[in-house]
Amino acid sequence: MIFVTGGAGFIGSNFVLDWCAGSGEAVLNVDKLTYAGNLNNLASLKGDARHVFVQADICDGARMLALLNSHRPRAIVHFAAESHVDRSIHGPADFIATNINGSFALLEAARAYWSALSGEEGAAFRFLHVSTDEVYGSLGAHDAPFSESTAYAPNSPYSASKAASDHLVRAYHHTYGLPTLTTNCSNNYGPYHFPEKLIPLVIANALAGKALPIYGDGMQVRDWLYVSDHCAAIRRVLDGGRPGQVYNIGGWNEKANIEVVRTLCDILDREAPRADGASYRAQIVHVADRPGHDQRYAIDASKIERELGWKPAETFETGTEKTVRWYLANQAWVADVQSGAYLKWVNQNYDNRGT
Ligand code: NAD
Ligand code: DAU
């Protein structure tokens, strides 16, 4: 079996669902169930013996080692993290705890487990660490995209905490020989994306008749990748990646935020027109910028294509269409995650923000 952390979050749950759709191998899904973890994402696996869920905190190293020893996985795929940049600005402590100390505790447990494996099992074992392009910092308009050898320059508490975890993973390979793999991916979007992030927030707010908040001038650029393409890339790295290596993953889809929001409005205008006949674009509002906002991310994903033959299957056009349709068909999922603590976050981040 494989041991997945954070498998009830956005990317982790898509990964577990895709894994079970394409493989008979079982998944141990270890997740703390923070505000971002949602077992409803995995409802379709109810009763499926291949999916074993355990609620646990990766910071609890003894628990991680006990789970490894009792379930004997051949690999760990580590998604668990605090993942939202704006939350890291309002309160970085949870990011340090989970992304740095939690990754450290998990690495220590993995090292102890792996050290006791037989030669063949030890050689086949993999620790795959899921990370982000944000560790490389911000690009100017004409800079080359991030490659695996771009120097780290994280700018937010979130990206600094992910950079720290990447360095720990590197050190565990270099010092102890732990067979690690690291992936640094660009912005994902698709089903089960928590509506605090730009794309699902805009879809949910548009349908609710609320403002579509653009930070600053909206000219910041991100590279967008449909989530199932990210999951396929991770499977490819797990299968064929060379221990100790880093693989950048991206969609070759650089878009300014304002362009992303306008595209979503145009799809919604076709799929769920407003009652008054006006465009959803009328709901766009520019608000005060994110402090330290990175201007541009771009990923050079040629290494994973060259070495492992991975390429994204979706374009930005097909991926955004699918995403909007998923949110239209799953408004109960959105309503469920928006109840409770979500409202407190929306008030904290957007009320009195100014323009
Ligand atoms: P998410 O916030 O949607 O999900 C994170 C999951 O981790 C949740 O289920 C949460 O309950 C769990 N978790 C948090 N703290 C935990 C702890 N201490 N112990 C156990 N579980 C814990 O995040 P996501 O967007 O799915 O991102 C998953 C991973 O991918 C993260 O490591 C993130 O840095 C990375 N990543 C995300 C993106 C993106 O665009 N979302 C892009 C590149 C890389
Ligand atoms: O690049 C990969 C990263 O992408 C991941 O590591 C992070 O976990 C993930 O959250 C994402 O980070 P971003 O900060 O890029 O994503 P977010 O959806 O929060 O914002 C995307 C862009 O949209 C960013 O430039 C900020 C802007 N934005 C965001 C929100 C929530 C707005 O203009 N308005 C908003 O209300």
Side-chain angles (χ1 to χ4, degrees):
M1 67 150 45
I2 62 163
F3 183 114
V4 168
T5 71
F10 163 48
I11 305 173
S13 61
N14 276 282
F15 181 84
V16 170
L17 292 170
D18 287 359
W19 183 274
C20 290
S23 160
E25 190 176 13
V27 178
L28 178 69
N29 182 353
V30 178
D31 194 299
K32 182 178 173 182
L33 296 181
T34 67
Y35 79 92
N38 185 353
L39 286 179
N40 287 338
N41 301 4
L42 300 157
S44 62
L45 294 177
K46 202 164 190 275
D48 188 329
R50 289 171 306 164
H51 178 238
V52 180
F53 180 78
V54 174
Q55 185 171 8
D57 187 336
I58 57 164
C59 298
D60 184 346
R63 183 95 191 273
M64 293 303 112
L65 181 55
L67 287 168
L68 287 167
N69 282 331
S70 57
H71 291 273
R72 319 285 312 159
R74 68 169 176 96
I76 296 173
V77 184
H78 177 34
F79 293 96
E82 289 293 335
S83 71
H84 190 31
V85 173
D86 292 318
R87 286 187 192 253
S88 84
I89 295 167
H90 286 276
D94 286 347
F95 290 72
I96 307 307
T98 287
N99 300 359
I100 305 180
N101 294 329
S103 295
F104 167 64
L106 187 67
L107 279 163
E108 275 293 86
R111 180 165 76 95
Y113 168 70
W114 166 74
S115 303
L117 292 176
S118 69
E120 209 172 294
E121 283 176 326
F125 182 76
R126 296 288 181 270
F127 183 104
L128 192 154
H129 175 58
V130 179
S131 193
T132 170
D133 60 358
E134 301 205 9
V135 297
Y136 298 121
S138 184
L139 292 168
H142 303 293
D143 291 340
F146 302 129
S147 76
E148 288 80 0
S149 57
T150 301
Y152 274 36
N155 290 318
S156 71
Y158 162 69
S159 54
S161 67
K162 290 297 290 187
S165 64
D166 292 9
H167 290 322
L168 284 169
V169 171
R170 177 190 162 90
Y172 271 63
H173 175 74
H174 190 79
T175 303
Y176 305 114
L178 187 72
T180 61
L181 298 159
T182 298
T183 56
N184 292 90
C185 187
S186 59
N187 285 58
N188 285 215
Y189 66 101
Y192 304 112
H193 204 182
F194 196 83
E196 64 185 354
K197 308 282 172 72
L198 181 68
I199 286 184
L201 179 96
V202 162
I203 298 170
N205 280 14
L207 294 171
K210 294 183 181 159
L212 311 182
I214 304 274
Y215 296 164
D217 62 7
M219 293 311 291
Q220 302 82 8
V221 172
R222 298 289 182 269
D223 169 63
W224 293 95
L225 181 69
Y226 192 65
V227 63
S228 62
D229 278 327
H230 186 191
C231 296
I234 291 170
R235 292 196 300 275
R236 196 65 67 88
V237 173
L238 188 61
D239 281 351
R242 288 178 288 137
Q245 290 288 306
V246 174
Y247 297 89
N248 279 358
I249 304 171
W252 304 104
N253 278 315
E254 280 187 63
K255 305 279 176 207
N257 293 337
I258 187 72
E259 194 186 341
V260 170
V261 175
R262 286 183 182 141
T263 300
L264 296 171
C265 289
D266 295 349
I267 299 171
L268 283 165
D269 286 343
R270 288 197 303 275
E271 299 282 333
R274 274 174 39 151
D276 63 2
S279 169
Y280 287 100
R281 288 186 182 207
Q283 290 166 230
I284 293 175
V285 172
H286 288 263
V287 299
D289 210 348
R290 173 186 278 175
H293 201 170
D294 284 338
Q295 185 60 34
R296 176 178 166 237
Y297 303 144
I299 277 277
D300 176 350
S302 53
K303 177 178 174 182
I304 187 171
E305 181 176 349
R306 192 175 59 248
E307 293 192 9
L308 301 174
W310 174 87
K311 269 201 298 201
E314 301 292 344
T315 64
F316 187 68
E317 289 67 36
T318 60
T320 46
E321 290 267 355
K322 280 188 179 180
T323 302
V324 169
R325 288 205 186 116
W326 187 88
Y327 278 90
L328 287 170
N330 290 277
Q331 292 184 53
W333 181 90
V334 177
D336 182 57
V337 299
Q338 283 180 329
S339 59
Y342 178 80
L343 290 176
K344 196 170 150 226
W345 163 251
V346 169
N347 295 339
Q348 190 182 12
N349 195 42
Y350 295 100
D351 283 4
N352 309 315
R353 188 176 182 111
T355 54

